[in-house]
Amino acid sequence: MNITRLFFFCGLFLICFQSSFAQEDFKAEKKEIKKYLNKAVVEFSNANYDKALELSKFALVTSFAINDNSLIAQSYNTIGVIYDECSETKKAIEFYQKAIRYAAPVKNDTLNNWIYGNLGSAYYFNQIDVPKGIGYYKKALFFAEKIKDSNQIVLSKLNLASAYFSIDSISLGNNEIKDIQKRILKSGSESTRLSLYVLLGIQASNGNQIKKAEDYYFKAMKIAKDNDYSSFLINVYENLSRHYKLHGRKSESEKYTQKIDSTNKVIFTEEKINSLNKESLQIELDEHKIQLERIEVENNRNQKVARDSKLVVILFIIGVIILLLLLLTLYKNIKFRELANEELKFAYDELKIAKEKAEEASLLKSQFVSTITHELRTPLYGVIGITNIILDEHKELNNSPHLKSLKFSAKYLLSLVNDILQINKIEEKKIVLESLIFNLSDEINTICNSVEYIADKNNNKLIVEIDTEIPEFLIGDKLRLSQIIMNLVSNALKFTKNGEVIISADLKNVNDTIYNIEFKVKDNGIGIPIEHQSKIFDKFVQIERREEDYQGTGLGLSIVTSLIELFKSEIHLESIENVGTTFSFTIGFEFNEEKSREIINNIEVDLSSNYVYNILVVEDNKINQMVTKKIIQNSNLNCTIVDDGYAALVALEREHFDLILMDINMPLINGFDTTRKIREKGIQIPVIALTAFDKQEVSEEAIAAGMNDILIKPFEPTKLYQIISNQIIKKENAD
């Protein structure tokens, strides 16, 4: 998306002196400051930036001399715009920040509007941080609307529209233009009409309305030339160059690129830039000089007071005596302190060594956990996969208690592995909450389906109660919420027989866009003795372990507590022995109807064609090869399997594939390096990492290698098919 420079520096300068001064003193000095800043505006308009800066500097020095915060802020704002126009962005931002600091005690809404508008332009025009620039523009618009300044409202909305266009938020940009377009065309200034035409040109160009876009750009060019708007003219040239390049008209694009260079050479000469740098240094020196003069005046005043007061002299003498006594006392304790320091140094060295050993042990622990979880997940993928294959191929064994026990044991072992990995992540503070859209009812129903086998085992009934006032779609970390509820429900089902477990969600209150929801997991099981209730959330704690109960590692409730703390909440427990237990907690989730609608509209659908896609599987483990191949074939997809990365490169030369499933940990060449070689050959087929490593451990390197997504083994077949579908659709849409 093209960027158009919309900030009207001269306009801001000229109106910045319409406000009256509250003080009656220093009228002559204030008049002089106004005079110099107005001259700076004229020189700025004529592209004489070095002269404009010199005049602004004099205004700043005089403003400091009379100690007028409002004029100091305006002077800094003026200097910032000059540097911004000359592409000295870092210095410009520094001066804008100074302007904000001095404007704060003045509490002038008009002044704040100018400064925040300029600061937003600095971040946006120079592509430093466009979202941050948008934030400053919104602040500028807030102050403009507060003072009902129609001109500044128009400028702020034009800036916002341009910034939204630059990050492809077309609809938001169009909304800003729609509110002001008629007003500008009817009674807007030359500069605002010029900027509007540029934005309309960008709209048309990106909508393939080539002739319409050129008409708008040429209108803008005429205004810039008629009014000698040099910087605006450069911007028009830039957009025309991008427009012609976008639509394949290379010669016209190069023509306007040359015009940009020639115009820049006239406006931004090396002599002017050098002069600006010298003036910047002089401004800093003048600031320090003024501050030193203030300190000197204050010191002279204090010295005069001290000379006139005998009491001060007496107190000074007493103070010196006390100081000497203190020094004597300190001297007597020097030897003792030296000895103490030596002991502390020795203790520090020991602590440092202990810290290094602890860090090394922590790293080794993390590596061990990562390795052991990978090594366990790999065979578990085979066990679960082969169990599913047997059940699919031999329907008569669906009720076999042996196969059900095998599948349950594998899933239980996988759950333990995941718990250990989760605890390790929490201890190392590696978990960061995500913001994803989700349907609360769907998430809870999915959990119920997952634990149905535990409920059936103990002849329990699962009941779900969800408040109808809760919005259908919320925004938050649905994965962590599911982990919390899953652990609590599983725990309730284990300790309840021939009873019921109730999962409820009630809307407690709404704070702006945050919906605070209270979750409860209630059972009528054996309950928890009151003497044990304070320690059940500790790691590895198990209460009332009995022969018939399979109670796991004792990590579940510890994980729940840590995850709830990430949501800045806390869990509450109510339990009576042989009556039941209730766990409750409250979490706030965002509800944004517009954002939700946008995300829902962009959700990708499953494959709609009858075309049979060809999948290449790169996997060295024979058992995993068999499992993956069976899952893919059950989805009516073709599958080719190779043992290593080099074989994959050969297969890609001989045959067309729609997607690649790539194992990471392979001999000869790993999955990352294989993917890099595939991308070096210019092959853009989607590559999905199929690995037993934790996703967070490999995400960064996977993206760097050119992989499109990651799927952790073991997984549900539907998850694999969904990822394959989404990636192939993305590739087809991109083509």
Side-chain angles (χ1 to χ4, degrees):
M1 175 65 67
N2 296 337
I3 301 170
T4 179
R5 193 175 185 86
L6 293 173
F7 208 77
F8 308 105
F9 302 108
C10 295
L12 285 177
F13 289 149
L14 290 172
I15 68 169
C16 74
F17 302 107
Q18 293 175 0
S19 61
S20 61
F21 297 107
Q23 299 177 351
E24 292 296 323
D25 297 336
F26 304 111
K27 286 186 177 180
E29 287 83 355
K30 291 177 181 179
K31 185 176 181 181
E32 190 76 359
I33 293 169
K34 178 179 178 181
K35 173 183 174 183
Y36 275 91
L37 284 173
N38 278 326
K39 286 183 179 180
V41 171
V42 175
E43 295 296 341
F44 178 90
S45 301
N46 296 327
N48 296 323
Y49 303 124
D50 50 347
K51 293 182 180 179
L53 184 61
E54 185 176 357
L55 291 164
S56 301
K57 183 197 73 173
F58 182 86
L60 177 65
V61 172
T62 309
S63 299
F64 267 115
I66 65 173
N67 197 26
D68 190 305
N69 287 332
S70 177
L71 290 173
I72 292 171
Q74 293 177 40
S75 300
Y76 273 134
N77 183 52
T78 305
I79 295 169
V81 174
I82 296 170
Y83 277 104
D84 200 6
E85 185 70 0
C86 296
S87 300
E88 293 287 336
T89 311
K90 184 177 180 181
K91 291 181 180 178
I93 291 174
E94 290 176 359
F95 285 114
Y96 291 149
Q97 295 290 359
K98 289 180 180 180
I100 289 176
R101 189 163 66 248
Y102 281 94
V106 178
K107 296 182 180 179
N108 185 316
D109 293 333
T110 303
L111 184 57
N112 282 316
N113 167 252
W114 308 326
I115 300 171
Y116 280 114
N118 282 341
L119 195 53
S121 298
Y123 279 98
Y124 157 53
F125 293 147
N126 299 285
Q127 293 296 285
I128 297 173
D129 189 339
V130 176
K132 193 170 185 178
I134 290 174
Y136 284 125
Y137 281 150
K138 288 182 177 179
K139 286 187 176 181
L141 180 59
F142 167 79
F143 287 113
E145 290 177 339
K146 186 177 180 182
I147 59 177
K148 299 180 181 180
D149 189 325
S150 58
N151 290 329
Q152 292 306 304
I153 291 172
V154 167
L155 295 179
S156 299
K157 284 183 173 289
L158 286 173
N159 281 326
L160 276 171
S162 178
Y164 282 134
F165 281 177
S166 73
I167 58 173
D168 295 326
S169 295
I170 307 300
S171 61
L172 294 176
N174 289 339
N175 288 339
E176 300 296 340
I177 294 177
K178 181 172 63 177
D179 291 341
I180 57 176
Q181 182 173 347
K182 290 183 179 179
R183 188 195 310 176
I184 292 174
L185 294 176
K186 181 178 180 181
S187 59
S189 65
E190 290 287 273
S191 56
T192 54
R193 284 195 295 110
L194 182 153
S195 302
L196 176 64
Y197 286 141
V198 173
L199 283 176
L200 293 174
I202 293 173
Q203 278 184 324
S205 180
N206 284 276
N208 289 321
Q209 297 175 303
I210 299 174
K211 181 64 172 63
K212 189 174 181 180
E214 290 171 358
D215 289 340
Y216 283 127
Y217 285 139
F218 290 143
K219 286 180 180 178
M221 186 191 302
K222 184 177 184 305
I223 294 174
K225 288 181 177 179
D226 290 346
N227 293 275
D228 198 22
Y229 293 158
S230 301
S231 59
F232 285 105
L233 186 59
I234 291 173
N235 182 244
V236 176
Y237 289 160
E238 288 173 346
N239 281 283
L240 273 168
S241 177
R242 293 190 188 100
H243 167 74
Y244 286 126
K245 183 177 181 181
L246 175 65
H247 297 289
R249 294 163 66 176
K250 185 176 179 181
S251 60
E252 286 94 332
S253 177
E254 291 176 350
K255 169 186 171 183
Y256 283 100
T257 300
Q258 292 172 358
K259 287 190 175 185
I260 293 169
D261 292 338
S262 61
T263 307
N264 274 328
K265 287 177 182 178
V266 173
I267 297 175
F268 305 109
T269 64
E270 183 176 354
E271 180 181 353
K272 289 182 179 180
I273 297 301
N274 291 335
S275 176
L276 288 176
N277 291 332
K278 290 179 181 178
E279 288 296 327
S280 175
L281 179 60
Q282 187 59 45
I283 288 172
E284 293 179 5
L285 291 173
D286 287 340
E287 288 176 329
H288 292 310
K289 181 180 178 182
I290 290 168
Q291 297 298 338
L292 288 172
E293 288 175 353
R294 287 183 175 180
I295 293 171
E296 184 177 355
V297 169
E298 187 66 25
N299 285 337
N300 290 336
R301 185 184 298 114
N302 290 336
Q303 289 174 6
K304 184 176 183 301
V305 171
R307 285 194 301 268
D308 294 341
S309 176
K310 293 181 180 180
L311 179 61
V312 172
V313 174
I314 295 171
L315 291 174
F316 176 76
I317 294 172
I318 294 173
V320 170
I321 294 172
I322 293 173
L323 180 61
L324 290 173
L325 291 173
L326 289 173
L327 288 174
L328 180 61
T329 304
L330 290 173
Y331 175 76
K332 290 181 178 180
N333 292 322
I334 283 177
K335 295 299 180 180
F336 174 77
R337 291 190 177 187
E338 286 180 351
L339 179 61
N341 286 337
E342 286 296 325
E343 292 176 352
L344 286 173
K345 184 177 182 300
F346 178 75
Y348 171 77
D349 291 338
E350 287 188 330
L351 287 172
K352 186 176 180 182
I353 294 171
K355 177 177 176 290
E356 291 173 352
K357 288 182 178 179
E359 289 175 347
E360 182 180 357
S362 177
L363 178 61
L364 289 173
K365 184 195 77 171
S366 297
Q367 292 173 345
F368 171 77
V369 171
S370 175
T371 302
I372 200 67
T373 52
H374 175 270
E375 294 305 314
L376 286 171
R377 277 175 171 168
T378 299
L380 281 173
Y381 176 60
V383 172
I384 295 173
I386 291 174
T387 304
N388 289 332
I389 291 173
I390 293 173
L391 291 172
D392 288 341
E393 293 181 351
H394 300 278
K395 303 296 184 183
E396 70 277 8
L397 298 177
N398 279 342
N399 295 320
S400 169
H402 303 299
L403 282 177
K404 286 186 176 180
S405 297
L406 175 63
K407 191 171 182 179
F408 171 80
S409 298
K411 285 190 173 182
Y412 183 77
L413 182 56
L414 177 61
S415 175
L416 293 182
V417 171
N418 290 336
D419 281 351
I420 293 170
L421 184 63
Q422 185 83 323
I423 282 291
N424 188 60
K425 283 185 185 178
I426 291 171
E427 289 178 348
E428 296 188 357
K429 302 187 184 303
K430 290 184 177 179
I431 295 181
V432 178
L433 296 180
E434 298 178 339
S435 292
L436 302 171
I437 188 168
F438 67 96
N439 183 294
L440 183 60
S441 297
D442 289 347
E443 294 300 318
I444 293 179
N445 287 331
T446 300
I447 293 169
C448 291
N449 292 335
S450 300
V451 298
E452 188 175 358
Y453 68 95
I454 304 177
D456 292 341
K457 177 184 174 184
N458 289 339
N459 193 29
N460 290 324
K461 182 179 180 182
L462 269 173
I463 301 172
V464 177
E465 298 175 351
I466 298 178
D467 191 342
T468 56
E469 294 297 319
I470 298 175
E472 182 179 5
F473 293 101
L474 299 170
I475 299 173
D477 196 323
K478 64 177 182 179
L479 174 61
R480 310 303 175 198
L481 176 64
S482 296
Q483 289 175 337
I484 293 169
I485 298 177
M486 173 75 81
N487 273 303
L488 292 176
V489 173
S490 300
N491 196 63
L493 290 171
K494 286 178 186 177
F495 292 96
T496 304
K497 287 189 175 181
N498 302 315
E500 62 182 27
V501 174
I502 302 173
I503 309 169
S504 65
D506 294 305
L507 181 63
K508 302 301 293 181
N509 56 68
V510 179
N511 186 8
D512 196 10
T513 60
I514 302 300
Y515 282 62
N516 294 302
I517 301 171
E518 183 183 44
F519 297 90
K520 288 184 179 180
V521 177
K522 181 178 181 181
D523 65 66
N524 55 1
I526 64 174
I528 304 170
I530 191 168
E531 65 269 18
H532 296 313
Q533 291 182 11
S534 61
K535 59 184 179 180
I536 63 168
F537 296 104
D538 296 337
K539 285 183 287 188
F540 307 111
V541 170
Q542 297 172 327
I543 307 299
E544 297 275 337
R545 187 176 181 89
R546 296 177 296 184
E547 292 294 329
E548 66 271 23
D549 288 333
Y550 192 77
Q551 300 185 28
T553 60
L555 291 173
L557 292 179
S558 175
I559 292 172
V560 165
T561 304
S562 300
L563 292 177
I564 289 177
E565 287 175 355
L566 286 177
F567 284 102
K568 301 188 184 308
S569 184
E570 58 184 21
I571 190 166
H572 301 281
L573 165 66
E574 296 178 7
S575 184
I576 301 175
E577 245 185 308
N578 299 319
V579 175
T581 302
T582 301
F583 290 95
S584 62
F585 58 93
T586 302
I587 294 178
F589 293 101
E590 182 184 0
F591 172 63
N592 187 317
E593 188 173 1
E594 182 178 346
K595 188 187 296 185
S596 299
R597 190 184 304 112
E598 182 178 346
I599 295 174
I600 293 169
N601 291 337
N602 291 331
I603 293 177
E604 294 166 336
V605 297
D606 292 337
L607 294 172
S608 57
S609 68
N610 294 323
Y611 181 76
V612 179
Y613 291 96
N614 200 13
I615 310 299
L616 175 63
V617 178
V618 188
E619 169 70 72
D620 63 306
N621 186 295
K622 298 298 182 183
I623 296 176
N624 290 348
Q625 287 180 358
M626 177 179 64
V627 173
T628 304
K629 183 176 182 179
K630 186 67 177 177
I631 292 173
I632 292 174
Q633 289 177 341
N634 286 343
S635 300
N636 296 321
L637 303 173
N638 288 335
C639 177
T640 300
I641 295 180
V642 295
D643 294 327
D644 57 69
Y646 292 117
L649 294 171
V650 174
L652 288 169
E653 292 178 354
R654 296 178 177 176
E655 188 177 351
H656 169 75
F657 294 95
D658 297 291
L659 184 136
I660 303 170
L661 294 176
M662 180 75 68
D663 188 25
I664 291 178
N665 193 18
M666 296 186 296
L668 301 181
I669 178 173
N670 63 41
F672 297 133
D673 292 336
T674 303
T675 303
R676 290 188 182 95
K677 290 184 179 294
I678 291 172
R679 297 306 186 216
E680 288 171 1
K681 290 178 176 290
I683 300 173
Q684 297 304 317
I685 298 172
V687 178
I688 308 300
L690 201 60
T691 178
F693 284 111
D694 183 66
K695 189 171 183 178
Q696 287 185 345
E697 294 179 20
V698 298
S699 290
E700 186 174 343
E701 189 169 359
I703 293 171
M707 292 179 167
N708 300 87
D709 207 339
I710 301 170
L711 186 61
I712 305 301
K713 296 184 290 190
F715 52 81
E716 294 295 328
T718 54
K719 180 67 174 177
L720 174 62
Y721 184 67
Q722 181 185 13
I723 289 181
I724 291 175
S725 301
N726 289 342
Q727 291 300 328
I728 292 177
I729 289 174
K730 283 183 182 178
K731 178 65 168 57
E732 290 177 345
N733 292 338
D735 294 340

